[in-house]
Amino acid sequence: MSETDELEQRIKTKEAKIVVIGLGYVGLPQAVMFANAGFQVMGIDICEARVSAVNAKCWPLDPQEPELPAMMQEVAHLGKLRATSDFGACHDADVVIVAVPTPVDESRQPDFSALVDALTNTCSYLSSSVLIAIESTLAPGTMSDLAAMFGEPSFHLAYCPERVTPGALAHNLRQVPRVIGADSEAAILAMALYSQVCKASLYVTDPLSAEICKCAENAYRDVQLAFANELALVCEDLGADVWQVRQLINTCPWRYVLRPGPGVGGACIPKDPWLLMSGLSIEADLLTAARATNDWMPHHVADLTLEALREAKALVGGAIVVILGVAYKENTSDMRNSPALAMMERLIKAGCDVRFYDPFVDGYNGDLLTALAGADAAVICAGHDDFYGIDWQEVGQVMRHKVLVDARNVAWPAPREFVYRGLGHGK
Ligand code: SAJ
């Protein structure tokens, strides 16, 4: 039996030892799911606090996440999952899954330093035939570069991009089809591995197609979001209600317009179009324009706020503006690339005193009425469930000026006595 056949056998019988590099939103759920499937899993992270949390069986990500906190406690209790910051733990690995951040830098170029460091540290310990499965989102052509840098004969490199969304991580890993970008033997090994957790279809292709697929599926969503946002701007300009127009469009069975919003946050959508474009020799005008539209939205909502403050005869300089929802989207504590941050900057530049309130984010939660006492404007930036039940008449009594800017159509129809601006609601 060849080394590769033996490795495939060990994967199928779950005797293979799995090491997961990077215990974040992608790596930790994957580590827990493989441990839960019966594998011995060692997680490696450079953040000691993350390592300690996992070994203390304390779920370090969003506490709202279903299934995984309890599952992690169980597999850690059974000794199937441990964590360390020592890459030496890779010495007896059969499978290495790499799930470290692959951001873009200020000039929107890929910054793969964490990925190269992880692979450099890992490969120095690896011995026999090993499958290295990369889950981090890659710019097209990266796997070819990595093969040249790390593709020892006994290493089998596969690209298996993650398709997880916070709030449904376990379900995604079990039920969402996955793409595997790998050549022959690595593809067979990756299929054997991921079929132990993923019960949906696994689609094998070449690494380049898989890299383009992952970046493009998020770039596609970015364009869809830009369309919804530009439609909101069009409706404001024409004096229409985008939420009604959107609803009417979506009565067409083969159309679905996403919801307009104050911008596009999160770790994936704002970044992946730039990864897709990073190696191009042509201009991808549509993708660039979509990014510009989505990045404009927080500024547009800030301008709506300034306009409403003036209408309410509130002094903009020193106006207290409370942004409701600093998380990047509804019902999560995740603030990564939140549109609220760009909105805050624009309002501060205009002289406002900007504060945050978010029931999901430590440091910004507490009592809503206290948070809004004396405020001149409230701006709804995330569509948290809690915000749909706000009693605006009660809130209005504690505010200094009754200005409400609604970027998520949460408080429509406009509460009485308020100067209201709703994204996509033309005057
Ligand atoms: N947003 C809107 N209107 C919408 C939907 C989203 O303004 O109708 C905003 C959100 O508020 C947020 C941003 O867009 O600021 C991104 O939200 P998202 O729903 O796309 O969620 P993400 O960032 O968690 O994206 C992930 C992606 N998953 C992966 O990269 C594996 C994306 O591919 C998924 O489509 C998305 O989850 C999802 O569908 O939940």
Side-chain angles (χ1 to χ4, degrees):
M1 186 184 274
S2 73
E3 271 199 331
T4 306
D5 292 342
E6 279 178 16
L7 175 54
E8 184 186 3
Q9 198 54 27
R10 283 203 302 282
I11 291 172
K12 286 182 173 176
T13 58
K14 301 180 185 178
E15 293 167 271
K17 179 186 172 185
I18 298 176
V19 171
V20 177
I21 316 279
L23 299 177
Y25 278 87
V26 175
L28 182 56
Q30 194 68 88
V32 171
M33 295 291 280
F34 275 116
N36 188 55
F39 288 91
Q40 190 64 41
V41 179
M42 176 65 80
I44 295 182
D45 201 296
I46 58 174
C47 171
E48 290 292 352
R50 185 56 53 92
V51 168
S52 306
V54 172
N55 289 331
K57 309 182 187 65
C58 176
W59 178 252
L61 303 178
D62 198 333
Q64 323 286 331
E65 193 61 47
E67 289 189 74
L68 286 169
M71 195 188 291
M72 188 185 85
Q73 281 196 338
E74 188 187 345
V75 293
H77 178 69
L78 294 172
K80 300 298 276 182
L81 173 65
R82 304 248 333 111
T84 180
S85 56
D86 174 11
F87 279 86
C90 292
H91 75 279
D92 60 349
D94 295 299
V95 171
V96 176
I97 293 172
V98 184
V100 297
T102 48
V104 291
D105 60 23
E106 296 74 40
S107 55
R108 293 167 173 158
Q109 288 307 306
D111 170 6
F112 287 177
S113 52
L115 178 65
V116 173
D117 288 351
L119 287 168
T120 304
N121 290 329
T122 301
C123 293
S124 63
Y125 289 99
L126 294 182
S127 50
S128 61
S129 177
V130 174
L131 169 65
I132 300 177
I134 296 170
E135 296 205 5
S136 309
T137 302
L138 301 179
T142 307
M143 281 299 284
S144 167
D145 298 341
L146 295 178
M149 292 168 75
F150 301 102
E152 298 296 323
S154 61
F155 297 165
H156 302 280
L157 278 177
Y159 179 49
C160 311
E162 49 87 12
R163 272 181 173 166
V164 292
T165 63
L169 298 171
H171 174 268
N172 294 160
L173 288 170
R174 252 191 236 109
Q175 303 298 338
V176 174
R178 292 191 76 148
V179 171
I180 294 174
D183 302 319
S184 58
E185 288 185 338
I188 292 166
L189 294 169
M191 289 283 284
L193 175 72
Y194 283 98
S195 58
Q196 303 280 357
V197 166
C198 180
K199 301 312 168 194
S201 302
L202 299 173
Y203 295 91
V204 176
T205 184
D206 61 282
L208 177 62
S209 298
E211 289 166 329
I212 296 170
C213 165
K214 171 60 186 175
C215 292
E217 67 190 34
N218 279 346
Y220 176 67
R221 187 162 176 91
D222 198 45
V223 170
Q224 289 177 303
L225 287 162
F227 179 85
N229 289 328
E230 186 146 86
L231 184 61
L233 301 177
V234 164
C235 287
E236 283 182 20
D237 190 61
L238 296 175
D241 172 355
V242 73
W243 305 95
Q244 186 178 0
V245 168
R246 167 183 181 267
Q247 210 166 21
L248 293 169
I249 295 172
N250 292 347
T251 61
C252 174
W254 49 90
R255 289 289 180 276
Y256 186 75
V257 175
L258 294 175
R259 299 175 62 79
V264 174
C268 314
I269 311 295
K271 159 181 72 86
D272 293 354
W274 298 118
L275 289 182
L276 178 59
M277 292 187 272
S278 60
L280 294 182
S281 52
I282 60 163
E283 285 304 315
D285 296 332
L286 175 64
L287 302 184
T288 308
R291 285 278 72 237
T293 298
N294 290 332
D295 281 350
W296 166 247
M297 295 313 289
H299 300 278
H300 174 66
V301 173
D303 289 351
L304 289 177
T305 307
L306 298 173
E307 183 190 292
L309 282 167
R310 292 187 189 101
E311 183 181 324
K313 305 280 188 284
L315 274 178
V316 169
I320 298 173
V321 179
V322 179
I323 296 178
L324 303 182
V326 70
Y328 81 92
K329 70 176 188 180
E330 68 281 359
N331 305 327
T332 175
S333 61
D334 193 339
M335 288 175 56
R336 291 176 292 176
N337 297 314
S338 172
L341 304 175
M343 195 184 298
M344 170 191 70
E345 282 172 25
R346 193 169 180 93
L347 290 168
I348 288 174
K349 266 196 192 128
C352 299
D353 171 2
V354 181
R355 302 169 188 180
F356 290 143
Y357 174 82
D358 191 317
F360 285 88
V361 181
D362 290 344
Y364 299 119
N365 47 25
D367 177 60
L368 176 70
L369 283 180
T370 307
L372 284 169
D376 297 294
V379 182
I380 300 174
C381 191
H384 294 325
D385 290 348
D386 303 26
F387 294 163
Y388 285 85
I390 292 176
D391 176 346
W392 290 102
Q393 300 316 311
E394 182 186 25
V395 165
Q397 286 163 14
V398 302
M399 291 177 73
R400 184 165 61 178
H401 288 89
K402 295 177 185 171
V403 170
L404 173 56
V405 178
D406 185 1
R408 298 286 190 177
N409 207 43
V410 164
W412 182 261
R416 281 181 300 105
E417 298 171 16
F418 273 79
V419 174
Y420 177 91
R421 288 290 185 285
L423 177 66
H425 284 290
K427 283 185 284 186

mmCIF file of all heavy atoms in Angstrom, residues 162-166 214 218 221 225 258-261 263-266 268-269 328-329 408, ligand 1:
data_model
loop_
_atom_site.group_PDB
_atom_site.id
_atom_site.type_symbol
_atom_site.label_atom_id
_atom_site.label_comp_id
_atom_site.label_asym_id
_atom_site.label_seq_id
_atom_site.Cartn_x
_atom_site.Cartn_y
_atom_site.Cartn_z
ATOM 1 N N GLU A 162 -13.638 27.985 2.891
ATOM 2 C CA GLU A 162 -14.734 27.898 3.852
ATOM 3 C C GLU A 162 -15.972 28.582 3.259
ATOM 4 O O GLU A 162 -15.871 29.464 2.422
ATOM 5 C CB GLU A 162 -14.347 28.570 5.165
ATOM 6 C CG GLU A 162 -13.763 29.956 5.043
ATOM 7 C CD GLU A 162 -14.814 31.070 5.014
ATOM 8 O OE1 GLU A 162 -15.993 30.793 5.311
ATOM 9 O OE2 GLU A 162 -14.442 32.191 4.666
ATOM 10 N N ARG A 163 -17.130 28.106 3.706
ATOM 11 C CA ARG A 163 -18.400 28.744 3.336
ATOM 12 C C ARG A 163 -19.266 28.842 4.590
ATOM 13 O O ARG A 163 -20.370 28.317 4.652
ATOM 14 C CB ARG A 163 -19.137 27.891 2.285
ATOM 15 C CG ARG A 163 -18.760 28.204 0.863
ATOM 16 C CD ARG A 163 -19.547 27.353 -0.106
ATOM 17 N NE ARG A 163 -19.341 27.742 -1.489
ATOM 18 C CZ ARG A 163 -19.701 27.015 -2.525
ATOM 19 N NH1 ARG A 163 -20.267 25.822 -2.306
ATOM 20 N NH2 ARG A 163 -19.484 27.424 -3.771
ATOM 21 N N VAL A 164 -18.696 29.500 5.609
ATOM 22 C CA VAL A 164 -19.435 29.567 6.878
ATOM 23 C C VAL A 164 -19.959 30.973 7.106
ATOM 24 O O VAL A 164 -19.337 31.953 6.711
ATOM 25 C CB VAL A 164 -18.536 29.142 8.066
ATOM 26 C CG1 VAL A 164 -18.206 27.672 7.980
ATOM 27 C CG2 VAL A 164 -17.271 29.980 8.145
ATOM 28 N N THR A 165 -21.144 31.041 7.711
ATOM 29 C CA THR A 165 -21.673 32.367 8.073
ATOM 30 C C THR A 165 -21.926 32.370 9.575
ATOM 31 O O THR A 165 -22.532 31.427 10.107
ATOM 32 C CB THR A 165 -23.009 32.639 7.353
ATOM 33 O OG1 THR A 165 -23.955 31.675 7.790
ATOM 34 C CG2 THR A 165 -22.863 32.522 5.852
ATOM 35 N N PRO A 166 -21.418 33.380 10.258
ATOM 36 C CA PRO A 166 -21.612 33.453 11.716
ATOM 37 C C PRO A 166 -23.104 33.293 12.061
ATOM 38 O O PRO A 166 -23.961 33.792 11.353
ATOM 39 C CB PRO A 166 -21.119 34.867 12.064
ATOM 40 C CG PRO A 166 -20.145 35.206 10.986
ATOM 41 C CD PRO A 166 -20.662 34.538 9.752
ATOM 42 N N LYS A 214 -14.257 31.029 -4.955
ATOM 43 C CA LYS A 214 -14.473 31.545 -3.598
ATOM 44 C C LYS A 214 -14.522 33.072 -3.595
ATOM 45 O O LYS A 214 -15.434 33.687 -3.044
ATOM 46 C CB LYS A 214 -13.368 31.063 -2.664
ATOM 47 C CG LYS A 214 -13.377 31.715 -1.294
ATOM 48 C CD LYS A 214 -14.662 31.473 -0.526
ATOM 49 C CE LYS A 214 -14.664 32.268 0.777
ATOM 50 N NZ LYS A 214 -15.933 32.160 1.510
ATOM 51 N N ASN A 218 -18.236 35.821 -3.295
ATOM 52 C CA ASN A 218 -18.426 36.973 -2.393
ATOM 53 C C ASN A 218 -18.450 38.285 -3.154
ATOM 54 O O ASN A 218 -19.180 39.204 -2.791
ATOM 55 C CB ASN A 218 -17.355 36.968 -1.308
ATOM 56 C CG ASN A 218 -17.729 36.002 -0.180
ATOM 57 O OD1 ASN A 218 -18.877 35.552 -0.104
ATOM 58 N ND2 ASN A 218 -16.777 35.665 0.656
ATOM 59 N N ARG A 221 -21.917 38.703 -4.286
ATOM 60 C CA ARG A 221 -22.816 39.239 -3.246
ATOM 61 C C ARG A 221 -22.565 40.734 -3.070
ATOM 62 O O ARG A 221 -23.494 41.510 -2.872
ATOM 63 C CB ARG A 221 -22.597 38.505 -1.929
ATOM 64 C CG ARG A 221 -23.619 38.904 -0.865
ATOM 65 C CD ARG A 221 -23.670 37.906 0.242
ATOM 66 N NE ARG A 221 -24.550 38.260 1.341
ATOM 67 C CZ ARG A 221 -25.840 37.922 1.432
ATOM 68 N NH1 ARG A 221 -26.426 37.255 0.435
ATOM 69 N NH2 ARG A 221 -26.554 38.255 2.494
ATOM 70 N N LEU A 225 -25.372 43.556 -3.312
ATOM 71 C CA LEU A 225 -25.610 44.538 -2.247
ATOM 72 C C LEU A 225 -25.517 45.957 -2.799
ATOM 73 O O LEU A 225 -26.305 46.830 -2.448
ATOM 74 C CB LEU A 225 -24.596 44.324 -1.113
ATOM 75 C CG LEU A 225 -24.857 43.077 -0.269
ATOM 76 C CD1 LEU A 225 -23.611 42.681 0.523
ATOM 77 C CD2 LEU A 225 -26.044 43.283 0.657
ATOM 78 N N LEU A 258 -31.559 42.235 -2.629
ATOM 79 C CA LEU A 258 -31.197 42.209 -1.206
ATOM 80 C C LEU A 258 -31.677 43.487 -0.527
ATOM 81 O O LEU A 258 -32.206 44.390 -1.181
ATOM 82 C CB LEU A 258 -29.682 42.059 -1.074
ATOM 83 C CG LEU A 258 -29.110 40.725 -1.568
ATOM 84 C CD1 LEU A 258 -27.585 40.739 -1.500
ATOM 85 C CD2 LEU A 258 -29.664 39.554 -0.779
ATOM 86 N N ARG A 259 -31.443 43.571 0.780
ATOM 87 C CA ARG A 259 -31.911 44.746 1.533
ATOM 88 C C ARG A 259 -30.865 45.868 1.484
ATOM 89 O O ARG A 259 -29.686 45.611 1.765
ATOM 90 C CB ARG A 259 -32.167 44.354 3.003
ATOM 91 C CG ARG A 259 -33.223 43.278 3.172
ATOM 92 C CD ARG A 259 -33.339 42.847 4.632
ATOM 93 N NE ARG A 259 -33.752 43.976 5.485
ATOM 94 C CZ ARG A 259 -35.009 44.408 5.587
ATOM 95 N NH1 ARG A 259 -35.963 43.808 4.907
ATOM 96 N NH2 ARG A 259 -35.321 45.433 6.360
ATOM 97 N N PRO A 260 -31.296 47.094 1.148
ATOM 98 C CA PRO A 260 -30.343 48.209 1.253
ATOM 99 C C PRO A 260 -29.865 48.349 2.698
ATOM 100 O O PRO A 260 -30.504 47.858 3.632
ATOM 101 C CB PRO A 260 -31.183 49.431 0.850
ATOM 102 C CG PRO A 260 -32.357 48.887 0.116
ATOM 103 C CD PRO A 260 -32.623 47.529 0.698
ATOM 104 N N GLY A 261 -28.707 48.958 2.851
ATOM 105 C CA GLY A 261 -28.195 49.127 4.221
ATOM 106 C C GLY A 261 -27.182 50.251 4.284
ATOM 107 O O GLY A 261 -26.883 50.901 3.276
ATOM 108 N N GLY A 263 -24.068 50.128 4.512
ATOM 109 C CA GLY A 263 -22.727 49.735 4.072
ATOM 110 C C GLY A 263 -22.558 48.241 4.250
ATOM 111 O O GLY A 263 -23.438 47.552 4.755
ATOM 112 N N VAL A 264 -21.395 47.741 3.829
ATOM 113 C CA VAL A 264 -21.144 46.299 3.821
ATOM 114 C C VAL A 264 -19.955 45.996 4.719
ATOM 115 O O VAL A 264 -18.817 46.395 4.415
ATOM 116 C CB VAL A 264 -20.879 45.814 2.377
ATOM 117 C CG1 VAL A 264 -20.462 44.349 2.367
ATOM 118 C CG2 VAL A 264 -22.124 46.022 1.530
ATOM 119 N N GLY A 265 -20.222 45.322 5.827
ATOM 120 C CA GLY A 265 -19.147 44.999 6.771
ATOM 121 C C GLY A 265 -18.838 43.517 6.754
ATOM 122 O O GLY A 265 -19.166 42.801 5.811
ATOM 123 N N GLY A 266 -18.189 43.089 7.822
ATOM 124 C CA GLY A 266 -17.815 41.686 7.921
ATOM 125 C C GLY A 266 -16.399 41.468 7.414
ATOM 126 O O GLY A 266 -15.773 42.361 6.838
ATOM 127 N N CYS A 268 -15.527 39.145 5.187
ATOM 128 C CA CYS A 268 -15.415 38.501 3.870
ATOM 129 C C CYS A 268 -15.753 39.428 2.709
ATOM 130 O O CYS A 268 -14.930 39.676 1.833
ATOM 131 C CB CYS A 268 -16.369 37.306 3.806
ATOM 132 S SG CYS A 268 -16.330 36.252 5.225
ATOM 133 N N ILE A 269 -16.999 39.941 2.709
ATOM 134 C CA ILE A 269 -17.490 40.629 1.513
ATOM 135 C C ILE A 269 -16.650 41.851 1.147
ATOM 136 O O ILE A 269 -16.319 42.048 -0.031
ATOM 137 C CB ILE A 269 -18.982 41.014 1.683
ATOM 138 C CG1 ILE A 269 -19.809 39.825 2.162
ATOM 139 C CG2 ILE A 269 -19.537 41.556 0.380
ATOM 140 C CD1 ILE A 269 -19.914 38.675 1.209
ATOM 141 N N TYR A 328 -21.535 44.614 12.603
ATOM 142 C CA TYR A 328 -21.603 44.849 11.163
ATOM 143 C C TYR A 328 -22.919 44.395 10.558
ATOM 144 O O TYR A 328 -23.264 44.795 9.431
ATOM 145 C CB TYR A 328 -20.413 44.212 10.452
ATOM 146 C CG TYR A 328 -20.510 42.729 10.180
ATOM 147 C CD1 TYR A 328 -21.030 42.241 8.989
ATOM 148 C CD2 TYR A 328 -20.040 41.810 11.111
ATOM 149 C CE1 TYR A 328 -21.103 40.871 8.732
ATOM 150 C CE2 TYR A 328 -20.105 40.443 10.863
ATOM 151 C CZ TYR A 328 -20.637 39.981 9.680
ATOM 152 O OH TYR A 328 -20.714 38.623 9.443
ATOM 153 N N LYS A 329 -23.651 43.555 11.303
ATOM 154 C CA LYS A 329 -24.978 43.166 10.831
ATOM 155 C C LYS A 329 -25.833 42.739 12.012
ATOM 156 O O LYS A 329 -25.369 42.765 13.158
ATOM 157 C CB LYS A 329 -24.906 42.083 9.769
ATOM 158 C CG LYS A 329 -24.481 40.711 10.227
ATOM 159 C CD LYS A 329 -24.582 39.759 9.027
ATOM 160 C CE LYS A 329 -24.374 38.319 9.394
ATOM 161 N NZ LYS A 329 -24.478 37.401 8.245
ATOM 162 N N ARG A 408 -31.957 50.821 8.331
ATOM 163 C CA ARG A 408 -32.359 49.406 8.149
ATOM 164 C C ARG A 408 -33.872 49.229 8.061
ATOM 165 O O ARG A 408 -34.365 48.103 8.191
ATOM 166 C CB ARG A 408 -31.825 48.576 9.338
ATOM 167 C CG ARG A 408 -30.313 48.566 9.472
ATOM 168 C CD ARG A 408 -29.623 47.712 8.428
ATOM 169 N NE ARG A 408 -28.196 47.556 8.775
ATOM 170 C CZ ARG A 408 -27.340 46.817 8.081
ATOM 171 N NH1 ARG A 408 -27.757 46.185 7.014
ATOM 172 N NH2 ARG A 408 -26.079 46.739 8.431
HETATM 173 N N1 SAJ B 1 -26.160 43.273 4.173
HETATM 174 C C1 SAJ B 1 -27.071 44.229 3.708
HETATM 175 N N2 SAJ B 1 -28.213 43.804 3.099
HETATM 176 C C2 SAJ B 1 -28.497 42.476 2.931
HETATM 177 C C3 SAJ B 1 -27.557 41.525 3.402
HETATM 178 C C4 SAJ B 1 -26.404 41.943 4.021
HETATM 179 O O1 SAJ B 1 -26.851 45.428 3.845
HETATM 180 O O2 SAJ B 1 -29.547 42.151 2.392
HETATM 181 C C5 SAJ B 1 -24.925 43.719 4.808
HETATM 182 C C6 SAJ B 1 -24.792 43.235 6.214
HETATM 183 O O3 SAJ B 1 -25.425 44.128 7.106
HETATM 184 C C7 SAJ B 1 -23.271 43.194 6.402
HETATM 185 C C8 SAJ B 1 -22.755 42.864 5.020
HETATM 186 O O4 SAJ B 1 -23.821 43.161 4.109
HETATM 187 O O5 SAJ B 1 -22.772 44.451 6.810
HETATM 188 C C9 SAJ B 1 -22.334 41.423 4.846
HETATM 189 O O6 SAJ B 1 -23.392 40.658 5.327
HETATM 190 P P1 SAJ B 1 -23.651 39.122 4.802
HETATM 191 O O7 SAJ B 1 -25.059 38.777 5.100
HETATM 192 O O8 SAJ B 1 -23.164 38.974 3.431
HETATM 193 O O9 SAJ B 1 -22.842 38.248 5.850
HETATM 194 P P2 SAJ B 1 -21.350 37.856 5.977
HETATM 195 O O10 SAJ B 1 -20.408 38.992 5.943
HETATM 196 O O11 SAJ B 1 -21.333 36.995 7.184
HETATM 197 O O12 SAJ B 1 -21.060 36.996 4.662
HETATM 198 C C10 SAJ B 1 -20.998 35.625 4.764
HETATM 199 C C11 SAJ B 1 -20.307 35.163 3.521
HETATM 200 N N3 SAJ B 1 -19.956 33.775 3.720
HETATM 201 C C12 SAJ B 1 -18.693 33.388 3.421
HETATM 202 O O13 SAJ B 1 -17.845 34.143 3.005
HETATM 203 C C13 SAJ B 1 -18.403 31.960 3.635
HETATM 204 C C14 SAJ B 1 -21.207 35.294 2.304
HETATM 205 O O14 SAJ B 1 -20.632 34.532 1.220
HETATM 206 C C15 SAJ B 1 -22.579 34.745 2.561
HETATM 207 O O15 SAJ B 1 -23.382 35.017 1.425
HETATM 208 C C16 SAJ B 1 -23.171 35.441 3.766
HETATM 209 O O16 SAJ B 1 -22.325 35.114 4.885
HETATM 210 C C17 SAJ B 1 -24.574 34.930 4.033
HETATM 211 O O17 SAJ B 1 -25.280 34.673 3.037
HETATM 212 O O18 SAJ B 1 -24.926 34.857 5.206
#
